[in-house]
Amino acid sequence: MANQAEVSPRKRKAVEDELEMEASSVAAMTTMNMNQPAAEESEPILSNPSDGAGTSGSAEIWPGEYEWSCCFRDDEIMQQQSAIREEAAKVPYVGDKDPLSALEAEFESGDPILKEKIRLLGEQYAALRRTRGDGNCFFRSFMFAYLEHILVTKDADEVERITRKVIQCRLTLQSLGYTEFTYEDFFNIFMEQLESVMTSMSIEELLSRSRDQCISDYVVMFFRFVTSGEIRKRAEFFEPFIAGLTNTSVDQFCKSSVEPMGEECDHVHIIAMTDALGVSIRVVYLDRSSCDKGELAVNHHDFIPTAASSVGSSSSSSASGNITEPFITLLYRPGHYDILYRR
Amino acid sequence: MITLLHDYQASRARLFKEYKEVQREKSADPDIQLVCDDSNIFKWTALIKGPSETPYEGGVFQLAFSIPEQYPLLPPQVRFLTKIFHPNVHFKTGEICLDILKNAWSPAWTLQSVCRAIIALMAHPEPDSPLNCDSGNLLRSGDIRGYYSMARMYTRLAAMPKKG
């Protein structure tokens, strides 16, 4: 900024000259085409407004390269974003199940704290499954982990329970004023996957569907609708978290950070989704944090749905009991979620 | 039971729902008239009324929608066919700089609500991300009159029926 202030007087002069030319042409054109009284036309249109804002603001308004508008920079940002997407697209939406040693190999020459934590992880977890880092990794990881769990366990009680929750989520969106046709396809695709894993679907089929752009993105979008609905329904509860995170309103947050595909998940999203669906998630944090005293440990946090959100379904205290260990475990590395498998 | 879902089937189904909604709600929003191409459900046009108390008041502006096969996961491409002088609309191509048509898009939007958002943009230009720099610069320099008269002139020239 200081730098700019130094060069600005000369540049500003040039800009102002140019402006004057523009102003006269603007004035000429308006004279031609608007039937305004002549007296008004002769007023210099671009003279600094009398309130003085023009003078003090001109350095701000006309920075050095003013003609390079934001949309040029938007283009650059979009180029970079597409480069990131291309890079990310080399990984399938949902990868194969890899032994945990694959993670070890990744950090072979890395930070000693991370290496030790990976060793500790190995005591409890046997494998991991990577997901594409496209901003949807949390929802995509959850999607696969949840459907795979149902596919393996054929837990009919759980399917019945979540089906009730999904109906509630539908009602939530309805009561919030969402147009039904904007979300129903996404709900239907999720329910179709749920029914299929419960009946006939093989793990290979689940994997190929999870890699299918359309099905996979539709299910991710279903979770985004569910999350957004829960946040809006309990706006008062979520408001302070959102204010701390982005300094925007609940509505704006949902519109710009929850509903659009590719927007990364924060704790707010995770809390809302686990509450809305009543599914617990354990998140294991693989970062370089350590405490000075005591032994190194891998931190985890369990997202347990709050009782408040399950008030609606009175019969929800299913056979699994109240406090259970989450059957879904995700590995968090700063900026990314993958799926972890217990030993 | 297994639905082999393809993008274009999903988007066709969705667009058909939007079509029915538009037919049903024709009178609900008198400022917007959305019309689907007779032979192609991926092509729509809209006529929107310039919002009152803006230089676009009294004008009728035509928008062209081109809808990608991945709709509604991807946004429709929308541009002005009617010439308009507005900071966030490209003067030559009619391209619109609006977040919901780019990174802030979500399937919760519809063609109808996109039209409403464009009308809102006409009433509330954002000169800090201009596609039409001349227009943006007038506003950013505080020259409301200059902006207004230019915008008004083009509304009269391009968006209003010729008198006599």
Side-chain angles (χ1 to χ4, degrees), chain A residues 45 61 70 184-185 192, chain B residues 3 17 128 140 143 149 153:
Chain A
I45 287 177
I61 294 165
C70 289
E184 64 183 359
D185 293 344
E192 253 178 58
Chain B
T3 313
K17 288 176 195 169
D128 287 336
R140 285 200 286 181
D143 186 3
S149 37
M153 178 187 91

Side-chain angles (χ1 to χ4, degrees), chain A residues 12-254:
Chain A
R12 198 192 299 170
K13 179 72 178 71
V15 166
E16 272 166 5
D17 286 347
E18 207 170 304
L19 263 175
E20 249 158 54
M21 284 171 61
E22 252 182 54
S24 52
S25 67
V26 166
M29 287 171 94
T30 42
T31 328
M32 268 164 48
N33 294 286
M34 306 288 288
N35 350 317
Q36 284 173 337
E40 261 187 63
E41 282 155 31
S42 58
E43 273 179 38
I45 287 177
L46 263 173
S47 66
N48 284 330
S50 50
D51 59 19
T55 345
S56 61
S58 57
E60 280 281 63
I61 294 165
W62 307 112
E65 297 177 299
Y66 78 101
E67 62 258 84
W68 290 90
S69 70
C70 289
C71 278
F72 285 92
R73 290 203 289 278
D74 275 358
D75 282 351
E76 281 171 27
I77 291 167
M78 280 159 83
Q79 250 175 37
Q80 192 189 5
Q81 280 174 338
S82 78
I84 293 169
R85 270 196 296 275
E86 272 169 39
E87 192 58 36
K90 290 174 184 165
V91 180
Y93 282 143
V94 177
D96 292 323
K97 194 170 175 176
D98 288 329
L100 212 67
S101 56
L103 196 60
E104 249 167 75
E106 201 176 313
F107 288 94
E108 206 169 21
S109 55
D111 184 90
I113 295 176
L114 285 180
K115 283 164 79 173
E116 175 60 11
K117 282 193 176 179
I118 291 169
R119 195 191 63 76
L120 288 170
L121 266 184
E123 290 173 2
Q124 284 181 68
Y125 300 96
L128 91 156
R129 193 187 289 276
R130 293 175 213 272
T131 58
R132 186 184 290 183
D134 61 357
N136 300 309
C137 56
F138 169 78
F139 290 123
R140 194 110 50 198
S141 296
F142 177 79
M143 164 188 83
F144 190 87
Y146 185 81
L147 291 174
E148 186 183 34
H149 172 81
I150 300 297
L151 189 149
V152 170
T153 61
K154 306 282 183 216
D155 185 345
D157 288 344
E158 170 59 19
V159 170
E160 204 189 309
R161 190 200 61 77
I162 200 166
T163 303
R164 280 200 304 270
K165 283 290 192 186
V166 171
I167 293 169
Q168 272 188 358
C169 293
R170 236 183 231 268
L171 295 174
T172 300
L173 290 176
Q174 217 170 50
S175 66
L176 287 167
Y178 281 71
T179 311
E180 191 172 4
F181 72 70
T182 61
Y183 57 82
E184 64 183 359
D185 293 344
F186 304 94
F187 275 65
N188 293 342
I189 294 279
F190 173 75
M191 289 311 294
E192 253 178 58
Q193 308 317 307
L194 190 63
E195 281 163 30
S196 305
V197 288
M198 193 57 195
T199 51
S200 57
M201 204 197 291
S202 66
I203 185 79
E204 290 77 20
E205 173 67 12
L206 175 62
L207 199 55
S208 91
R209 286 192 190 193
S210 302
R211 289 172 178 170
D212 177 281
Q213 192 261 326
C214 193
I215 297 176
S216 198
D217 280 352
Y218 266 62
V219 177
V220 167
M221 196 55 223
F222 159 75
F223 291 128
R224 289 189 178 275
F225 270 118
V226 163
T227 305
S228 188
E230 183 73 14
I231 293 174
R232 287 172 191 274
K233 185 174 82 177
R234 291 159 61 212
E236 262 175 56
F237 172 78
F238 285 106
E239 198 182 4
F241 295 99
I242 289 168
L245 207 60
T246 63
N247 202 21
T248 56
S249 69
V250 169
D251 177 63
Q252 197 51 43
F253 179 77
C254 288

